[in-house]
Amino acid sequence: MRRTTTAAAVATLLAAAALGLAPHQAQAAPAGGPAATADASSQIRFHDIPGSGGVALKGNVFTPAGAGSGRTYPLIVLPTSWGLPQTEYLAQAKKLADSGYVVVSYTSRGFWLSGGSIEVAGPPDIADVSAVIDWALANSPADADRIGLGGVSYAAGITLLASAHDPRVKAVVAMSGWADLIESIYSGRTQHVQAAAMLGAAGYLTGRPGPELQSLLGNFLGSRLDQEQQMIAWGRKRSASEQVDRINANGTAVMLGNAWGDTIFPPNQYAKFYERLTGPKRLEFRPGDHATAEGTGLLGLPNDTWTNAHRWFDRYLKGERNGVDTEAPVQIKSRSDNGYEGYADWKSVGSGGTEKLALSDSEHLFANVDSGANGGILLLSSALDQFVKAPPIASVPLLPRAFAAVWQSQRYAEARRIRGTVKLHTTVTPTKGDGTFVAYLYDVGPLGIGKLVSNAPYTFHGKAPGQAFGVDLELFSTAYDVPAGHRLALVVDTVDPLYIEHNPIGAQLTFSSPRTDPSYVSVPLREQ
């Protein structure tokens, strides 16, 4: 606890120094009691805010300069991301306050110096948001009719859920988060082991996982299939996709932002959730990995995601006619260039039609060996793709065919602009009842070097050995331009460090293309 206290204090002082606050001003105050204040231009106060059940949440409040009695301002509440303290949003909170908002940020329960245990966006976390709103209305010049929520990662998941339960919330900006927790870390019935292990480790290092979370992590990472349905039910309770009707009934204006290569919360589940929203909505996808699209904004640097977040709040909390609601609501940036493309909806992203690549050759491979094709490293590989255009690569001609199935297209005379969700349809015959495979789509250059376009895992259990079954698998959505003279390659193998694999020793898989049910890859393309 002493180490946690010291680290939190250091983080607070560093962030305060970055905003020009003297160390003696960055002091906490008890809930409802007097608080230390900065100079008139900063207007920051640190508080213990009572959360649900009386749990104390460490928080800070920014108010606009010169805020006087009798005048109210729109309120924005920012819970912190997984493992981060209340200083996470200081730079953005100050910018929002300078433009006329009351901004309350708090350390999510169970982390750092906030009370309680980690609930993973459970009912206490959702109740905390409403409790913080109540406190802000009673202790700051916040306007009860103009309330917004926002945040990155963990905060995004919490705020989406909170908007379903608290009709006072008029606008939400959810960045690099999840709407479907199961599809995020258990897609294709496969555990995303690096993501789950990283989140678990960060939880233990910076907070206090509760008994339920400890048990679930053990079951999840231990592949306890007898607990699978309980784990799925637990995840659904923490998924805004299960409560979209309530969000729609509240009429909440929802902005979603994510990165194509997010290795914790892949983009597909956000796109599906977006399509089900009926109120004001906006969807933004950019190159990068988890939270890298918003990261520079947390340091106060220019950032497209945060700029549009401010515009979203200005439109739906202040009523400003700034054009954010008249632009194409789906805004994406290709991994291959720096421009934005606007679409009327998610279905229009692949409006140029689909190209089907036939997988006509039967391929047989042995399981349990990594062929060299993989999805990269959590948080690193997609960040390298974002900043230096260096996605994971593989030498496709050198992939060992005993452990990797490979199909390639012809060389393209013209560039192919892939937009949306690539889909695989195939027939699999296993020699064992359980198994895992991972599909990869590569952009292959003249020298045979493949750059990863997308990937996705698939796991099956309880199949009859030797009996074929069909598979339909969605790869993670993306926007990628394949240059002229290149070709596409689909590669399938059975081991990837990102995922837990379930192939028994000696397992083999055969991928075939029956005449009555041909196998193919469907590639969505941008309209030329």
Side-chain angles (χ1 to χ4, degrees):
M1 187 63 179
R2 186 180 296 112
R3 290 194 299 270
T4 301
T5 303
T6 302
V10 170
T12 300
L13 291 174
L14 288 175
L19 291 174
L21 307 179
H24 70 273
Q25 293 168 328
Q27 298 174 1
T37 62
D39 57 78
S41 64
S42 297
Q43 293 293 305
I44 182 175
R45 298 171 183 263
F46 289 80
H47 289 271
D48 286 348
I49 301 175
S52 64
V55 166
L57 305 172
K58 296 295 181 179
N60 58 70
V61 182
F62 275 93
T63 54
S69 60
R71 182 179 178 185
T72 60
Y73 302 85
L75 168 67
I76 296 176
V77 175
L78 303 171
T80 59
S81 301
W82 185 272
L84 293 183
Q86 58 163 305
T87 54
E88 176 184 7
Y89 300 111
L90 285 184
Q92 288 299 325
K94 185 177 188 304
K95 287 185 177 183
L96 286 164
D98 288 344
S99 65
Y101 291 94
V102 172
V103 186
V104 180
S105 179
Y106 67 92
T107 304
S108 298
R109 71 163 52 217
F111 289 101
W112 295 92
L113 299 181
S114 282
S117 58
I118 301 172
E119 301 286 347
V120 195
D125 290 303
I126 309 312
D128 282 345
V129 175
S130 294
V132 171
I133 291 173
D134 293 341
W135 181 89
L137 294 176
N139 293 277
S140 76
D143 187 338
D145 294 323
R146 296 183 291 169
I147 297 173
L149 307 176
V152 178
S153 185
Y154 187 47
I158 290 175
T159 54
L160 283 176
L161 286 161
S163 72
H165 290 269
D166 196 326
R168 295 176 296 179
V169 177
K170 299 298 189 293
V172 172
V173 176
M175 297 171 276
S176 288
W178 80 88
D180 188 327
L181 192 57
I182 302 301
E183 278 298 304
S184 294
I185 60 173
Y186 195 52
S187 68
R189 207 179 176 186
T190 308
Q191 299 104 311
H192 296 210
V193 62
Q194 287 189 18
M198 187 279 290
L199 292 172
Y204 277 100
L205 286 171
T206 63
R208 300 167 299 283
E212 186 179 32
L213 176 57
Q214 293 181 44
S215 175
L216 183 128
L217 275 173
N219 292 335
F220 186 79
L221 296 175
S223 301
R224 288 283 305 276
L225 283 176
D226 60 316
Q227 296 295 313
E228 182 181 36
Q229 291 309 310
Q230 290 88 331
M231 289 187 281
I232 290 174
W234 180 90
R236 284 177 175 164
K237 290 179 182 177
R238 290 158 171 79
S239 297
S241 59
E242 297 290 319
Q243 303 183 43
V244 66
D245 290 343
R246 299 181 67 164
I247 297 174
N248 289 336
N250 291 338
T252 312
V254 178
M255 173 180 157
L256 305 169
N258 206 352
W260 296 119
D262 195 319
T263 45
I264 297 179
F265 304 127
N268 302 43
Q269 43 93 29
Y270 248 17
K272 293 175 183 177
F273 176 71
Y274 168 85
E275 286 291 85
R276 296 175 60 198
L277 293 170
T278 58
K281 58 183 180 179
R282 183 179 177 95
L283 176 67
E284 299 182 355
F285 283 143
R286 298 177 176 84
D289 206 314
H290 185 65
T292 62
E294 304 85 22
T296 56
L298 293 176
L299 301 175
L301 300 174
N303 181 277
D304 290 351
T305 307
W306 280 103
T307 295
N308 289 335
H310 288 231
R311 295 174 65 214
W312 192 256
F313 286 134
D314 289 346
R315 175 66 187 91
Y316 292 103
L317 298 183
K318 291 182 178 179
E320 293 184 4
R321 298 289 179 177
N322 54 21
V324 73
D325 57 329
T326 60
E327 298 169 356
V330 175
Q331 295 284 326
I332 70 172
K333 181 184 285 189
S334 167
R335 290 162 53 197
S336 308
D337 61 48
N338 296 319
Y340 282 93
E341 302 167 9
Y343 298 88
D345 51 34
W346 176 247
K347 294 188 296 290
S348 301
V349 171
S351 57
T354 58
E355 180 175 352
K356 280 191 176 182
L357 306 178
L359 309 178
S360 54
D361 296 332
S362 179
E363 295 282 346
H364 181 86
L365 58 98
F366 295 89
N368 309 116
V369 175
D370 191 341
S371 70
N374 63 69
I377 300 172
L378 182 83
L379 301 180
L380 176 62
S381 297
S382 293
L384 290 174
D385 183 35
Q386 174 186 359
F387 294 112
V388 295
K389 301 290 192 294
I393 62 173
S395 176
V396 174
L398 296 181
L399 291 174
R401 296 309 197 259
F403 309 115
V406 180
W407 297 267
Q408 296 193 73
S409 73
Q410 78 283 2
R411 294 194 185 279
Y412 294 118
E414 298 179 350
R416 293 291 193 275
R417 298 180 178 182
I418 300 173
R419 300 290 185 273
T421 307
V422 175
K423 298 178 181 179
L424 167 65
H425 174 75
T426 189
T427 296
V428 181
T429 305
T431 60
K432 306 287 185 179
D434 302 327
T436 298
F437 67 86
V438 184
Y440 311 88
L441 188 69
Y442 283 101
D443 160 25
V444 184
L447 299 179
I449 300 300
K451 294 182 178 180
L452 186 66
V453 177
S454 185
N455 77 100
Y458 184 89
T459 293
F460 58 89
H461 296 289
K463 298 294 184 181
Q467 184 173 326
F469 62 93
V471 170
D472 288 290
L473 176 63
E474 290 188 349
L475 277 62
F476 301 135
S477 302
T478 194
Y480 184 96
D481 298 337
V482 180
H486 288 213
R487 67 178 74 196
L488 287 172
L490 180 78
V491 176
V492 175
D493 74 359
T494 61
V495 176
D496 190 309
L498 285 173
Y499 313 112
I500 290 180
E501 53 98 1
H502 295 267
N503 298 296
I505 299 299
Q508 302 173 42
L509 299 175
T510 299
F511 295 85
S512 59
S513 182
R515 185 172 55 183
T516 57
D517 186 19
S519 295
Y520 60 85
V521 172
S522 177
V523 181
L525 301 174
R526 175 187 173 185
E527 191 172 3
Q528 296 296 323

